[in-house]
Protein backbone atom coordinates (compact mmCIF):
# COMPACT_ATOMS: atom_id res chain seq x y z
CA UNK A 1 0.00 0.00 0.00
CA UNK A 2 1.19 3.51 -0.87
CA UNK A 3 2.29 5.78 1.97
CA UNK A 4 0.39 9.02 2.37
CA UNK A 5 1.60 12.60 2.57
CA UNK A 6 0.09 16.02 3.12
CA UNK A 7 1.46 19.12 1.34
CA UNK A 8 0.49 22.37 3.00
CA UNK A 9 0.62 24.69 -0.04
CA UNK A 10 0.64 24.77 -3.83
CA UNK A 11 4.07 23.58 -4.98
CA UNK A 12 5.71 23.42 -8.43
CA UNK A 13 3.91 20.97 -10.72
CA UNK A 14 6.86 18.74 -11.54
CA UNK A 15 7.54 18.18 -7.84
CA UNK A 16 3.87 17.49 -7.14
CA UNK A 17 3.70 15.04 -10.06
CA UNK A 18 6.67 13.04 -8.77
CA UNK A 19 5.18 12.91 -5.30
CA UNK A 20 1.80 11.82 -6.68
CA UNK A 21 3.42 8.93 -8.56
CA UNK A 22 4.80 7.52 -5.35
CA UNK A 23 2.37 8.47 -2.59
CA UNK A 24 -1.25 9.12 -1.82
CA UNK A 25 -1.11 12.89 -1.80
CA UNK A 26 -3.43 15.34 -0.10
CA UNK A 27 -2.61 18.98 -0.76
CA UNK A 28 -3.80 22.39 0.43
CA UNK A 29 -3.66 23.66 -3.12
CA UNK A 30 -3.62 27.42 -2.53
CA UNK A 31 -0.90 29.89 -3.37
CA UNK A 32 -1.64 32.70 -0.95
CA UNK A 33 -3.75 31.18 1.82
CA UNK A 34 -1.99 29.20 4.54
CA UNK A 35 -3.57 25.91 5.51
CA UNK A 36 -6.14 26.39 8.30
CA UNK A 37 -5.19 24.83 11.61
CA UNK A 38 -8.17 22.45 11.73
CA UNK A 39 -7.24 20.97 8.36
CA UNK A 40 -3.61 20.60 9.39
CA UNK A 41 -4.76 18.85 12.58
CA UNK A 42 -6.97 16.48 10.64
CA UNK A 43 -4.35 15.67 8.01
CA UNK A 44 -1.41 15.24 10.37
CA UNK A 45 -3.29 12.46 12.13
CA UNK A 46 -3.63 10.52 8.86
CA UNK A 47 -0.33 10.80 7.01
CA UNK A 48 3.18 9.32 6.97
CA UNK A 49 4.84 12.46 5.67
CA UNK A 50 4.29 16.19 5.94
CA UNK A 51 5.67 18.67 3.35
CA UNK A 52 5.28 22.05 5.03
CA UNK A 53 6.33 25.70 4.99
CA UNK A 54 7.70 28.20 7.48
CA UNK A 55 4.17 29.60 7.83
CA UNK A 56 2.92 26.34 9.38
CA UNK A 57 3.33 26.05 13.11
CA UNK A 58 4.22 22.43 13.84
CA UNK A 59 4.05 22.64 17.61
CA UNK A 60 3.88 19.96 20.29
CA UNK A 61 0.10 20.20 20.52
CA UNK A 62 -0.22 19.44 16.82
CA UNK A 63 2.36 16.67 17.05
CA UNK A 64 0.23 14.92 19.69
CA UNK A 65 -2.19 14.20 16.87
CA UNK A 66 0.46 12.68 14.60
CA UNK A 67 -0.11 8.96 15.03
CA UNK A 68 2.00 7.59 12.21
CA UNK A 69 3.98 10.59 10.97
CA UNK A 70 7.59 9.71 10.08
CA UNK A 71 8.89 12.92 8.55
CA UNK A 72 8.34 16.67 8.51
CA UNK A 73 9.99 18.17 5.45
CA UNK A 74 10.20 21.96 5.80
CA UNK A 75 10.59 24.02 2.64
CA UNK A 76 13.07 26.44 4.26
CA UNK A 77 16.49 26.46 5.81
CA UNK A 78 15.02 27.91 9.05
CA UNK A 79 12.96 25.51 11.13
CA UNK A 80 11.84 27.68 14.05
CA UNK A 81 8.24 26.89 13.07
CA UNK A 82 8.76 23.27 14.14
CA UNK A 83 9.09 21.91 17.66
CA UNK A 84 12.13 19.79 16.87
CA UNK A 85 12.46 18.47 20.42
CA UNK A 86 8.90 17.18 20.47
CA UNK A 87 9.37 15.70 16.98
CA UNK A 88 12.55 13.90 18.02
CA UNK A 89 10.84 12.51 21.12
CA UNK A 90 8.22 11.01 18.85
CA UNK A 91 10.89 9.69 16.46
CA UNK A 92 9.76 12.02 13.67
CA UNK A 93 12.50 13.12 11.28
CA UNK A 94 12.71 16.88 10.60
CA UNK A 95 14.42 18.11 7.44
CA UNK A 96 15.23 21.50 5.89
CA UNK A 97 16.66 22.95 2.67
CA UNK A 98 20.04 24.61 3.29
CA UNK A 99 22.67 25.23 0.62
CA UNK A 100 20.49 25.83 -2.41
CA UNK A 101 19.29 29.21 -1.16
CA UNK A 102 22.59 30.58 0.13
CA UNK A 103 23.66 32.74 -2.81
CA UNK A 104 20.14 33.98 -3.59
CA UNK A 105 19.56 35.05 0.00
CA UNK A 106 22.96 36.74 0.13
CA UNK A 107 22.07 38.61 -3.10
CA UNK A 108 18.82 39.86 -1.57
CA UNK A 109 20.55 40.84 1.66
CA UNK A 110 23.08 42.90 -0.25
CA UNK A 111 20.35 44.39 -2.44
CA UNK A 112 18.40 45.43 0.67
CA UNK A 113 21.54 46.91 2.19
CA UNK A 114 22.11 48.98 -0.95
CA UNK A 115 18.45 49.99 -1.30
CA UNK A 116 18.37 51.17 2.31
CA UNK A 117 21.72 52.99 2.20
CA UNK A 118 20.89 54.79 -1.04
CA UNK A 119 17.18 55.33 -0.24
CA UNK A 120 16.10 53.68 -3.49
CA UNK A 121 12.39 53.01 -2.71
CA UNK A 122 12.02 56.50 -1.25
CA UNK A 123 13.70 58.12 -4.27
CA UNK A 124 11.55 56.12 -6.69
CA UNK A 125 8.36 57.18 -4.85
CA UNK A 126 9.62 60.79 -4.83
CA UNK A 127 9.82 60.79 -8.61
CA UNK A 128 6.51 58.99 -9.22
CA UNK A 129 4.68 61.23 -6.78
CA UNK A 130 5.68 64.25 -8.87
CA UNK A 131 8.12 65.80 -6.38
CA UNK A 132 11.14 65.94 -8.70
CA UNK A 133 11.42 69.60 -9.61
CA UNK A 134 15.20 69.96 -9.89
CA UNK A 135 18.60 68.38 -9.14
CA UNK A 136 19.87 69.56 -5.81
CA UNK A 137 23.20 68.95 -4.03
CA UNK A 138 21.95 67.20 -0.90
CA UNK A 139 18.65 65.88 -2.21
CA UNK A 140 17.96 62.22 -1.30
CA UNK A 141 21.54 61.65 -0.21
CA UNK A 142 22.34 58.37 1.49
CA UNK A 143 25.26 56.48 3.00
CA UNK A 144 28.26 55.11 1.14
CA UNK A 145 28.57 51.36 0.88
CA UNK A 146 32.07 51.05 -0.59
CA UNK A 147 34.84 51.06 2.02
CA UNK A 148 32.30 51.07 4.87
CA UNK A 149 32.37 48.55 7.71
CA UNK A 150 29.92 45.68 7.58
CA UNK A 151 29.19 43.69 10.75
CA UNK A 152 27.63 40.27 10.19
CA UNK A 153 25.85 38.67 13.13
CA UNK A 154 25.72 34.93 12.39
CA UNK A 155 28.40 33.64 10.06
CA UNK A 156 26.74 30.61 8.51
CA UNK A 157 26.62 29.86 4.80
CA UNK A 158 24.64 33.01 3.97
CA UNK A 159 26.84 35.20 6.17
CA UNK A 160 29.93 33.96 4.34
CA UNK A 161 28.33 34.56 0.94
CA UNK A 162 27.40 38.09 2.04
CA UNK A 163 30.96 38.74 3.23
CA UNK A 164 32.29 37.80 -0.22
CA UNK A 165 29.93 40.28 -1.86
CA UNK A 166 31.01 42.98 0.60
CA UNK A 167 34.66 42.37 -0.23
CA UNK A 168 33.84 43.25 -3.85
CA UNK A 169 32.82 46.67 -2.55
CA UNK A 170 36.08 46.91 -0.60
CA UNK A 171 34.20 46.86 2.68
CA UNK A 172 35.85 46.06 5.97
CA UNK A 173 33.99 43.02 7.28
CA UNK A 174 33.53 42.08 10.95
CA UNK A 175 31.55 39.12 12.18
CA UNK A 176 30.15 37.81 15.42
CA UNK A 177 29.26 34.15 15.74
CA UNK A 178 28.87 31.50 18.45
CA UNK A 179 32.18 30.05 17.37
CA UNK A 180 35.10 31.67 15.58
CA UNK A 181 35.96 30.54 12.07
CA UNK A 182 39.70 31.21 11.64
CA UNK A 183 39.94 29.54 8.22
CA UNK A 184 37.15 31.66 6.81
CA UNK A 185 38.61 34.77 8.45
CA UNK A 186 41.77 34.12 6.48
CA UNK A 187 40.14 33.01 3.23
CA UNK A 188 37.76 35.96 2.89
CA UNK A 189 39.62 38.50 5.05
CA UNK A 190 37.19 38.92 7.94
CA UNK A 191 37.73 39.95 11.53
CA UNK A 192 35.97 38.41 14.51
CA UNK A 193 34.46 40.94 16.94
CA UNK A 194 32.53 40.77 20.20
CA UNK A 195 28.89 41.74 19.74
CA UNK A 196 29.57 45.01 21.50
CA UNK A 197 32.53 45.97 19.30
CA UNK A 198 30.75 44.90 16.15
CA UNK A 199 27.81 47.16 16.96
CA UNK A 200 30.07 50.08 17.87
CA UNK A 201 32.25 49.87 14.77
CA UNK A 202 29.90 48.82 11.97
CA UNK A 203 28.24 51.12 9.44
CA UNK A 204 25.97 48.23 8.44
CA UNK A 205 24.84 45.53 10.84
CA UNK A 206 23.35 42.48 9.09
CA UNK A 207 21.46 39.87 11.06
CA UNK A 208 21.89 36.39 9.60
CA UNK A 209 21.66 34.22 12.70
CA UNK A 210 19.19 31.36 13.12
CA UNK A 211 16.16 32.07 15.29
CA UNK A 212 16.51 30.13 18.54
CA UNK A 213 15.84 30.69 22.26
CA UNK A 214 19.31 32.27 22.45
CA UNK A 215 18.83 34.70 19.55
CA UNK A 216 15.23 35.70 20.34
CA UNK A 217 15.20 39.44 21.13
CA UNK A 218 19.00 39.42 20.78
CA UNK A 219 19.17 42.98 19.42
CA UNK A 220 17.37 45.43 21.70
CA UNK A 221 17.54 48.85 23.26
CA UNK A 222 20.99 48.54 24.84
CA UNK A 223 22.42 47.33 21.53
CA UNK A 224 20.99 50.23 19.52
CA UNK A 225 22.57 52.60 22.08
CA UNK A 226 25.96 51.24 20.99
CA UNK A 227 25.45 51.78 17.26
CA UNK A 228 26.54 54.81 15.21
CA UNK A 229 23.90 57.45 14.38
CA UNK A 230 24.76 56.86 10.70
CA UNK A 231 24.47 53.08 10.91
CA UNK A 232 21.97 50.83 9.16
CA UNK A 233 20.44 47.61 10.44
CA UNK A 234 19.54 44.90 7.92
CA UNK A 235 17.56 41.82 8.93
CA UNK A 236 16.95 38.98 6.48
CA UNK A 237 16.94 36.21 9.12
CA UNK A 238 13.89 36.20 11.41
CA UNK A 239 11.97 39.16 12.79
CA UNK A 240 11.97 37.98 16.41
CA UNK A 241 15.76 38.37 16.66
CA UNK A 242 15.33 42.16 16.76
CA UNK A 243 13.08 43.90 19.29
CA UNK A 244 10.85 45.89 16.93
CA UNK A 245 9.66 48.39 19.53
CA UNK A 246 13.24 49.23 20.47
CA UNK A 247 14.17 49.44 16.78
CA UNK A 248 11.36 51.91 16.17
CA UNK A 249 12.42 54.03 19.16
CA UNK A 250 16.05 54.04 18.08
CA UNK A 251 15.09 55.19 14.56
CA UNK A 252 12.83 57.93 15.91
CA UNK A 253 15.50 59.10 18.34
CA UNK A 254 18.18 59.06 15.61
CA UNK A 255 20.31 56.47 17.39
CA UNK A 256 20.61 54.65 14.09
CA UNK A 257 20.05 56.01 10.58
CA UNK A 258 17.87 53.44 8.82
CA UNK A 259 16.77 49.83 8.66
CA UNK A 260 16.12 47.30 5.90
CA UNK A 261 13.78 44.51 6.94
CA UNK A 262 12.80 41.41 4.98
CA UNK A 263 11.37 39.73 8.07
CA UNK A 264 9.07 40.68 10.93
CA UNK A 265 8.05 39.25 14.25
CA UNK A 266 4.51 38.83 12.96
CA UNK A 267 4.19 37.88 9.29
CA UNK A 268 2.48 39.23 7.28
CA UNK A 269 3.38 42.41 9.16
CA UNK A 270 0.19 44.34 10.10
CA UNK A 271 -0.15 47.39 7.88
CA UNK A 272 -0.52 49.66 10.93
CA UNK A 273 2.84 48.52 12.30
CA UNK A 274 4.76 51.64 13.49
CA UNK A 275 7.89 50.65 11.54
CA UNK A 276 5.93 50.96 8.28
CA UNK A 277 5.33 54.64 8.97
CA UNK A 278 9.02 55.51 8.77
CA UNK A 279 10.54 56.61 5.44
CA UNK A 280 13.96 55.34 6.50
CA UNK A 281 12.73 51.76 6.88
CA UNK A 282 12.84 49.69 3.69
CA UNK A 283 10.51 46.72 3.94
CA UNK A 284 10.10 43.48 2.01
CA UNK A 285 7.69 40.55 2.44
CA UNK A 286 10.19 37.80 3.39
CA UNK A 287 11.61 37.27 -0.12
CA UNK A 288 15.24 36.42 0.73
CA UNK A 289 15.26 33.16 -1.22
CA UNK A 290 12.63 34.17 -3.77
CA UNK A 291 14.29 33.61 -7.14
CA UNK A 292 12.53 31.20 -9.50
CA UNK A 293 15.50 28.83 -9.70
CA UNK A 294 16.11 28.77 -5.98
CA UNK A 295 12.50 28.18 -5.02
CA UNK A 296 12.35 25.30 -7.54
CA UNK A 297 15.53 23.84 -6.08
CA UNK A 298 14.18 24.21 -2.53
CA UNK A 299 11.04 22.30 -3.49
CA UNK A 300 13.18 19.55 -5.05
CA UNK A 301 15.40 19.29 -1.97
CA UNK A 302 12.33 19.16 0.30
CA UNK A 303 10.90 16.40 -1.90
CA UNK A 304 14.06 14.33 -1.85
CA UNK A 305 14.39 14.72 1.94
CA UNK A 306 10.83 13.51 2.34
CA UNK A 307 11.32 10.56 -0.02
CA UNK A 308 14.53 9.41 1.68
CA UNK A 309 12.87 9.48 5.09
CA UNK A 310 9.83 7.56 3.86
CA UNK A 311 12.17 5.00 2.25
CA UNK A 312 13.76 4.49 5.68
CA UNK A 313 16.99 6.26 4.68
CA UNK A 314 18.76 9.19 6.30
CA UNK A 315 17.76 12.37 4.40
CA UNK A 316 20.57 14.57 3.12
CA UNK A 317 19.45 17.59 5.15
CA UNK A 318 18.23 16.32 8.48
CA UNK A 319 17.81 18.61 11.48
CA UNK A 320 17.55 15.89 14.17
CA UNK A 321 20.34 13.59 12.95
CA UNK A 322 20.47 12.03 16.42
CA UNK A 323 17.56 9.85 15.31
CA UNK A 324 20.04 7.98 13.10
CA UNK A 325 22.84 7.70 15.64
CA UNK A 326 24.08 4.16 15.85
CA UNK A 327 21.95 3.16 12.91
CA UNK A 328 24.48 3.88 10.17
C1 LIG B 1 14.30 30.14 5.01
O1 LIG B 1 14.55 29.27 4.16
O2 LIG B 1 14.39 29.93 6.22
C2 LIG B 1 13.93 31.49 4.50
O3 LIG B 1 13.52 32.33 5.48
C3 LIG B 1 12.95 31.39 3.35
O4 LIG B 1 13.71 30.97 2.30
Amino acid sequence: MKQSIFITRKIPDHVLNQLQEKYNVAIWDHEEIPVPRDILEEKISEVDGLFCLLTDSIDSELLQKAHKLKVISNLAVGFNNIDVKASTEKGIIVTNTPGVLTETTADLTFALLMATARRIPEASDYLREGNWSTWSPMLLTGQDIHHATLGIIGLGRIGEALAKRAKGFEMNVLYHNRNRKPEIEEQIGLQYASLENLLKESDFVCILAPYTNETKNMIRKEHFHLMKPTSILINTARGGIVNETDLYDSLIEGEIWAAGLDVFEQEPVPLDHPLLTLPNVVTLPHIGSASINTRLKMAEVAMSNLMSALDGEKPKYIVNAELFLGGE
Side-chain angles (χ1 to χ4, degrees):
M1 204 175 111
K2 276 185 175 179
Q3 300 187 86
S4 57
I5 65 167
F6 180 54
I7 307 172
T8 64
R9 198 73 66 88
K10 189 171 169 50
I11 57 169
D13 283 343
H14 73 285
V15 174
L16 179 61
N17 292 342
Q18 286 184 63
L19 289 168
Q20 279 169 333
E21 272 170 28
K22 214 168 161 191
Y23 307 109
N24 285 325
V25 176
I27 178 167
W28 178 255
D29 201 10
H30 296 268
E31 184 92 58
E32 294 192 30
I33 311 170
V35 60
R37 179 76 179 190
D38 56 334
I39 295 191
L40 189 54
E41 282 177 4
E42 177 198 320
K43 294 295 178 196
I44 205 161
S45 68
E46 299 169 353
V47 294
D48 302 287
L50 181 70
F51 185 120
C52 63
L53 310 188
L54 55 84
T55 48
D56 306 316
S57 174
I58 314 298
D59 51 38
S60 59
E61 203 189 314
L62 184 79
L63 288 166
Q64 298 301 322
K65 303 189 192 303
H67 305 305
K68 55 173 188 158
L69 192 69
K70 299 184 188 78
V71 55
I72 302 167
S73 174
N74 208 36
L75 183 89
V77 62
F79 46 84
N80 54 290
N81 57 311
I82 301 170
D83 188 330
V84 177
K85 190 165 170 281
S87 308
T88 309
E89 277 163 12
K90 289 193 69 134
I92 301 169
I93 297 168
V94 178
T95 67
N96 66 341
T97 63
V100 288
L101 50 71
T102 301
E103 301 296 333
T104 301
T105 308
D107 283 350
L108 187 280
T109 306
F110 209 78
L112 183 56
L113 180 156
M114 296 187 80
T116 311
R118 297 300 304 271
R119 303 168 63 178
I120 288 174
E122 188 188 347
S124 174
D125 290 348
Y126 177 88
L127 180 157
R128 285 165 185 253
E129 285 161 13
N131 298 319
W132 189 19
S133 54
T134 182
W135 187 93
S136 190
M138 296 308 286
L139 179 67
L140 288 166
T141 45
Q143 303 291 345
D144 275 328
I145 297 152
H146 63 88
H147 298 97
T149 296
L150 167 65
I152 300 175
I153 299 179
L155 194 77
R157 297 179 179 84
I158 303 170
E160 270 177 49
L162 181 71
K164 288 183 190 149
R165 282 154 181 75
K167 283 290 165 180
F169 282 71
E170 300 190 50
M171 295 176 93
N172 172 35
V173 184
L174 310 177
Y175 78 99
H176 180 75
N177 200 48
R178 267 175 312 182
N179 46 308
R180 271 187 81 154
K181 300 195 169 173
E183 268 174 35
I184 293 170
E185 285 175 29
E186 188 150 339
Q187 255 171 37
I188 314 181
L190 314 181
Q191 272 173 268
Y192 178 82
S194 65
L195 182 60
E196 185 178 335
N197 285 344
L198 180 145
L199 294 167
K200 280 185 185 159
E201 289 169 30
S202 297
D203 300 301
F204 297 90
V205 172
C206 280
I207 316 278
L208 284 169
Y211 189 35
T212 61
N213 286 340
E214 288 75 54
T215 61
K216 189 174 170 143
N217 212 21
M218 180 189 188
I219 304 298
R220 45 188 194 273
K221 194 180 290 206
E222 64 253 44
H223 302 103
F224 292 118
H225 291 336
L226 297 171
M227 291 171 69
K228 302 181 189 179
T230 49
S231 68
I232 294 175
L233 179 91
I234 302 294
N235 188 3
T236 52
R238 287 294 183 266
I241 299 175
V242 174
N243 183 306
E244 289 176 350
T245 309
D246 293 352
L247 171 62
Y248 175 82
D249 291 344
S250 76
L251 286 159
I252 288 284
E253 285 155 22
E255 276 185 326
I256 72 169
W257 194 77
L261 306 173
D262 182 41
V263 287
F264 294 85
E265 192 159 6
Q266 185 189 336
E267 293 184 0
V269 62
L271 285 182
D272 60 356
H273 194 296
L275 282 168
L276 302 194
T277 64
L278 303 179
N280 51 345
V281 176
V282 177
T283 52
L284 296 174
H286 202 146
I287 57 163
S289 63
S291 76
I292 298 166
N293 280 339
T294 290
R295 286 289 167 84
L296 291 175
K297 283 188 201 148
M298 286 167 69
E300 285 159 12
V301 170
M303 170 176 69
S304 103
N305 284 334
L306 182 118
M307 286 180 164
S308 304
L310 290 180
D311 283 348
E313 289 160 13
K314 183 176 173 184
K316 183 156 180 206
Y317 298 111
I318 179 164
V319 173
N320 47 0
E322 61 270 35
L323 285 178
F324 281 81
L325 280 184
E328 287 169 287

